[in-house]
Amino acid sequence: MSDSQEATSPVAGIGGPAACVSKVELRVSCKSLLDRDTLNKSDPCVMLMVQNQGQWTELDRTEVIKSNLNPVFAKVLMLDYYFEEVQKLRFEVYDIHGTHSIGTRDDDFLGGVECTLGQVMSLFLCILFNNTLCGLKYALLINTYMIVAQKKMVKPLLLKYGKYAGKSTITIHAEEISGNNGYVKLSFCAKKLDDKDLFSKSDPFLEIYRINDDGTEQLVHRTEVIKNNLNPVWEPFKVSLISLCSCDDERKLKCLVWDYDSRGKHDFIGEFYTNFKEMQKISLGNKVSSVRHSLHRVYSFLDYIMGGCQIHFTVAIDFTASNGDPRNSCSLHYINPYQPNEYLKALIAVGEICQDYDSDKRFSALGFGARIPPNYEVSHDFAINFNPEDDECEEIQGVVEAYQNCLPKIQLYGPTNVAPIINRIAKLAAGKEPIKDASLYHILLILTDGVVTDMADTREAIVRASYQPMSIIIVGVGNADFTDMQILDGDDGVLRSPKGEPVLRDIVQFVPFRDFKTASPAALAKCVLAEVPKQVVEYFSHKAIPPINPVLNSNPNSIANTPE
């Protein structure tokens, strides 16, 4: 709703397990929230937190609903569902003041609840259902709650130190989504609505509810408010087919039209019932119509990979003097015959994952920041095999050998400029002709021991690269202060060029290697590659490019399988 204060959603980049079974949509509502405002009621918003390595991080948040102690939030919270892992979640409800982000001093904490989302806890629930004698015992043992198996969870909200937030409760509905689920794009308008206002016309908005099998109603979508208009045309919106009708085009839908009131006391204008099958026939009655609708096929990362998309892997290695003399055992480039250095550890960990997605197993290996033969001029973009016509190496082992052979032949120098290599790969990714199919995607791994010197040029290069089929992974090697490198990672805000142009997509992931020194190589690879599947899908979806050979739903009659 346009009159609801929107809360910006800084989606955190959370590294997860290697294989995501499916996605889960969560819908949230609350009842009897505490009223923290003097003149009006609270303006609630729910923040979804996930636990990663013992730390709570925000994943997403709902919209803000003004002056409402019993809010039903329209925004769907989506997360990956891993059956083999207990995923701890926390829902926190705040009364929002002003336009700042949640969690500041002016916001009032209205309560929270912790739960889990996963297959492990469902085993306990099966015992509860199958053995009533043990029910009380197991209920006492479980102090967190499992969502997915229950589909619906209603729990009291707790304040700090476990104190109940009055009679406040939170209800969470969970819906599992298959990989081949699609979405529908809808647009509604109304004509000759009743005028509920005395001195002006109504301010209408529309709500759509799905009628579940048990007769309960689930909010699917709430439109924006259109001021002073009895013939509104609401903005088009997209909704997944599983959310709209559980992929059943005859499931009943309830649609209500309200006259918006800033105090939350909306006036009822009217309602009607329909289903998706009827909606496709355009007319829904005398007063409300579905103006346009179109079905869209949603493709996953695996759809593109299985369709033939190749991942081309390029590594760029920092050869600046700050790494230390490679002949000295203290150097980050020192070749220990018994243990690989940090550069090699990071290269092998990430490269061995990427090579499974490249059929020819040939990888580009570049260097920057060194004086190179024969003239020993400084280069910020050179092939470490010293073959400018073919910078590729055979498999990851070939890259390792080229790196080791390169070290005695170069002079470490500086500065740390990475923009030239980013521009090089972006140009390669763009190709000579406009990209017409999903056949190739590039991953650039940059290994560096310090903050880049050409930060302005690097930001500009990343903005340009965000328009191409590529992702950039930066691993900080050594013990330098990498604080300034966080600006390149879009997790803390939108990266912009020096002129203020934002990136089209968040394509950069930065991690310090020291955070994974005691972890397995798989942990580093999982972290730095966690966002790549999403970035691949985002690029080709933005370009409206389907997989070369899309893997279709096995059910040919499924409406989720209908192309756009």
Side-chain angles (χ1 to χ4, degrees), residues 1-4 6 28-29 44 62-66 68 70-76 188 204-209 218-225 234-239 256-258 260 266:
M1 293 165 57
S2 60
D3 284 63
S4 293
E6 292 295 333
V28 184
S29 61
T62 69
E63 76 277 19
V64 177
I65 296 183
K66 287 191 173 182
N68 197 324
N70 301 284
V72 179
F73 297 97
K75 180 173 178 178
V76 175
F188 285 82
F205 68 94
L206 172 72
E207 290 182 326
I208 301 174
Y209 288 84
Q218 177 61 55
L219 178 65
V220 173
H221 182 76
R222 180 185 294 122
T223 69
E224 77 281 8
V225 174
W234 289 287
E235 288 292 325
F237 62 92
K238 295 185 294 184
V239 60
L256 302 98
V257 182
W258 301 88
Y260 176 77
H266 311 306

Side-chain angles (χ1 to χ4, degrees), residues 43 220 233 279 368 456 470 481 550:
D43 304 327
V220 173
V233 179
M279 291 168 69
F368 60 92
M470 65 179 290
D481 183 0

Side-chain angles (χ1 to χ4, degrees), residues 441-454:
Y441 193 89
H442 292 260
I443 294 179
L444 171 60
L445 171 64
I446 300 175
L447 305 176
T448 180
D449 78 321
V451 177
V452 299
T453 307
D454 61 339

